[in-house]
Amino acid sequence: MKTWFITGGTPGGFGMAYAEAALDDGDRVALTARRPEELESWARQYGDRVLILPADVTDRKAVERAVRVTEEHFGSIDVLVNNAGRGWYGSIEGMADAEARRIFELNFFAVLTVIRAVLPGMRARGSGWIVNMSSVAGLRGVEGFGYYSAAKSALEAVTEVLRAEVAPLGIQVMAVEPGAFRTRAYAGFADEAVEESIPTYLPMLERVRTAMIDQDGKQPGDPRRGARAVIAAMGQETPPRRLVLGSAGFGAVVATLESALEDIRGSAALSRGADFPVT
């Protein structure tokens, strides 16, 4: 029986999908939530195998307390799923500095806080799994979501290095990049007005907002199937370093990477010519 520590317990979201999949497999789950009261009735059906923890992942002390309570209650944390996060739209030039920093605080620095809190226990036991929920946007920047894309891209890089650093310690790491999934992630955009300091970018942001609202509830990805795909990948003899979820996201990432490779190879002579001449 494994113990999962999952951040971002929002009804209908990926955090809940992971929790239910783990519980269905007979495991135990500690789930952090900003509004734990929303999960009380759901948690009762699982008895003492579920621990709901009120925590804002951008609060280091709250994270450390949640990890400590979980380890005291269940004895260990075997699987960490860094799922908490969300996106805000705005132009690269016009988004307020405070908003850009808020995006990084939640989607990047908070992830590091949770990882640093959980790793000591995993290192002591010589085993563990860390799953970082990134996004297709981390591999393929999305117009209007530039800072969110940048935060997820930074998470991709950290995940890559972390994987190499902790592999000798018996700890495995995977990045997961969902495309459009039917969670509540798009629901809030209908009630949020577009705020942009530079009018030139307003038409672009209005298109982005409209597209997100129109797609809400119609996203092709199923969070439960997505969570099951991740668990299946974790169980492989050689787990993937990253797992893109969803057909559309898979196609977009492959096309983006192939285009990037073609672009890089197209400048091979210039790239190689920047070295000192071989004597």
Side-chain angles (χ1 to χ4, degrees):
M1 181 185 294
K2 297 189 293 292
T3 296
W4 293 58
F5 186 91
I6 304 168
T7 65
T10 302
F14 259 110
M16 296 296 291
Y18 277 113
E20 290 177 348
L23 290 163
D24 287 346
D25 288 346
D27 292 338
R28 302 174 298 196
V29 169
L31 187 62
T32 73
R34 283 176 176 262
R35 296 177 293 277
E37 64 278 0
E38 295 182 344
L39 307 180
E40 289 176 358
S41 60
W42 168 83
R44 286 193 203 102
Q45 64 185 305
Y46 298 104
D48 60 4
R49 288 198 296 136
V50 171
L51 187 63
I52 304 299
L53 300 163
D56 175 353
V57 293
T58 63
D59 182 338
R60 179 179 58 82
K61 290 184 178 179
V63 168
E64 291 174 349
R65 182 167 54 251
V67 169
R68 184 174 63 253
V69 168
T70 301
E71 291 177 332
E72 290 173 352
H73 187 79
F74 288 131
S76 66
I77 294 174
D78 304 296
V79 182
L80 164 62
V81 179
N82 276 306
N83 170 71
R86 66 154 291 181
W88 291 270
Y89 50 78
S91 70
I92 296 296
E93 183 183 4
M95 179 175 277
D97 184 65
E99 292 300 300
R101 291 178 183 276
R102 180 170 69 146
I103 289 171
F104 270 84
E105 283 295 335
L106 176 57
N107 294 291
F108 180 68
F109 289 111
V111 175
L112 299 184
T113 296
V114 180
I115 289 172
R116 288 167 173 164
V118 170
L119 267 178
M122 290 186 173
R123 281 192 291 104
R125 291 187 302 279
S127 65
W129 255 106
I130 296 174
V131 176
N132 287 336
M133 292 298 286
S134 179
S135 168
V136 165
L139 300 174
R140 176 181 182 270
V142 177
E143 183 182 21
F145 286 86
Y147 288 106
Y148 175 78
S149 300
K152 290 299 189 180
S153 182
L155 180 59
E156 290 284 334
V158 160
T159 302
E160 190 76 14
V161 176
L162 178 66
R163 180 185 304 111
E165 291 181 350
V166 301
L169 310 177
I171 301 167
Q172 300 186 79
V173 182
M174 183 192 303
V176 177
E177 298 91 0
F181 272 71
R182 204 168 298 179
T183 67
R184 290 165 51 178
Y186 296 0
F189 291 117
D191 300 322
E192 295 179 4
V194 174
E195 295 182 1
E196 173 60 42
S197 63
I198 302 175
T200 303
Y201 299 112
L202 279 173
M204 177 269 290
L205 294 176
E206 290 286 4
R207 289 195 301 272
V208 169
R209 177 177 180 271
T210 298
M212 300 294 278
I213 293 171
D214 289 346
Q215 198 176 12
D216 184 37
K218 305 171 188 172
Q219 302 98 314
D222 178 347
R224 294 187 178 189
R225 288 176 178 267
R228 275 293 166 200
V230 173
I231 292 173
M234 292 167 63
Q236 292 178 355
E237 184 174 350
T238 304
R241 294 178 298 170
R242 58 179 53 85
L243 182 66
V244 179
L245 295 180
S247 298
F250 181 87
V253 167
V254 169
T256 298
L257 296 180
E258 288 179 342
S259 176
L261 189 58
E262 181 181 357
D263 183 59
I264 292 169
R265 284 174 170 162
S267 300
L270 292 172
S271 297
R272 297 179 186 281
D275 292 341
F276 283 107
V278 177
T279 57

